[in-house]
Amino acid sequence: MDELEKLKKRRNAIILAHNYQRPEIQDVADFVGDSLALAMKARQTDADVIVFCGVDFMAQSAKIINPDKIVLFPDETAKCPMAAMVDVDALLYWKKKYGYDIVSYINTTAEVKAISDICCTSANAVKVVKSMPNGVIFVPDENLGKYVKRFVDKDMILWPGFCPTHLGITKKDIIKLKEKHPNAEILAHPECTEEIIDIANEVASTEGMVKYAMKSSSEEFIVASEKDLCYRMKKEMPQKKFYAIENAVCPTMKKITLEKVIKSLEKMKPEIKISKEIIEKASIPLEKMLKIGRES
Ligand code: SF4
């Protein structure tokens, strides 16, 4: 820990970590949050170096927003499988075929963002789609798209992508926990399947779930999302109980370790590199999204 603190000072670095990171990474981070909160934080920081503890598309977004800063990504192989499900050529073909604007979830590569009209996260997807003048092509998460469709009256063409971690959460998992803890409220991420969404008390982004649990008068919660979100929740609300889905683990998120964070600051690599052209194009939909902010 001492070594890390010294390195951070020497490099004028900030550590940003996603809510699904290992507990020890959450503990050393300067800021822990969801994709939207992390993107906002990346834009505000005056640090020279951002060490991004999350997955590829998040670190890329931090670089697109801060092209002049050094963004270190401690494990370059931490690539989100959902983001890898979009093919740029096929997406351009869809755009030509349907003539709709492309709304891309932040879980997309910089190249996909570069051909998108606007980005969104699970914290503002409904607000973003509502802001669009016509129908939209929504990529890549089909479950989030189906959830948004419940609130908007417009044509939405959904890309057949998914998050393996959230797709693996079953109604049976939730019912089992509910039987053990009948007073617990069910919180679900919109990347979950519709059968989970239908039985949830609250559907929200990870940050939204944290806020909901803070305000709720309930003392217990079943959290249908990645397991380590419960670590942050327990830390911030020790008086409440949070029940995680034990097998809901994102292996990609766990690739970042403390050793790799220290090594990246020592060696100042791996560093996120994106071409100037892609940064210029991808920053337009990202900035549009940041202006919209969270759902109210
Ligand atoms: S939890 Fe799902 S969407 Fe998030 S990084 Fe892991 S695979 Fe990608």
Side-chain angles (χ1 to χ4, degrees), residues 109-143:
T109 60
E111 288 73 19
V112 167
K113 287 187 179 77
I115 59 163
S116 300
D117 295 281
I118 191 164
C119 292
C120 72
T121 74
S122 52
N124 61 15
V126 174
K127 208 171 168 186
V128 167
V129 174
K130 275 187 179 166
S131 76
M132 303 306 283
N134 301 306
V136 299
I137 296 167
F138 190 88
V139 294
D141 187 30
E142 192 174 11
N143 280 334

Side-chain angles (χ1 to χ4, degrees), residues 20 55 57 80-82 107 163-166 191 226 250 252-253:
Y20 299 160
V55 293
F57 68 83
C80 167
M82 184 206 279
N107 301 38
C163 162
T165 305
H166 286 88
E191 285 171 18
E226 213 273 350
C250 173
T252 319
M253 283 279 179

Side-chain angles (χ1 to χ4, degrees), residues 28-141:
V28 299
D30 296 286
F31 184 77
V32 181
D34 65 3
S35 309
L36 183 60
L38 292 171
M40 286 173 158
K41 199 76 191 170
R43 194 167 61 169
Q44 289 159 3
T45 184
D46 53 10
D48 297 319
V49 177
I50 297 170
V51 184
F52 208 102
C53 301
V55 293
D56 56 346
F57 68 83
M58 298 175 179
Q60 287 178 348
S61 299
K63 180 70 183 176
I64 293 164
I65 294 166
N66 292 287
D68 299 330
K69 290 192 194 296
I70 293 172
V71 177
L72 298 175
F73 185 39
D75 187 332
E76 285 173 302
T77 67
K79 294 178 193 288
C80 167
M82 184 206 279
M85 288 174 193
V86 186
D87 173 323
V88 170
D89 291 337
L91 184 54
L92 285 173
Y93 173 75
W94 274 32
K95 179 150 174 124
K96 207 169 154 197
K97 182 175 170 190
Y98 296 106
Y100 287 159
D101 286 338
I102 299 170
V103 177
S104 68
Y105 191 22
I106 195 160
N107 301 38
T108 45
T109 60
E111 288 73 19
V112 167
K113 287 187 179 77
I115 59 163
S116 300
D117 295 281
I118 191 164
C119 292
C120 72
T121 74
S122 52
N124 61 15
V126 174
K127 208 171 168 186
V128 167
V129 174
K130 275 187 179 166
S131 76
M132 303 306 283
N134 301 306
V136 299
I137 296 167
F138 190 88
V139 294
D141 187 30

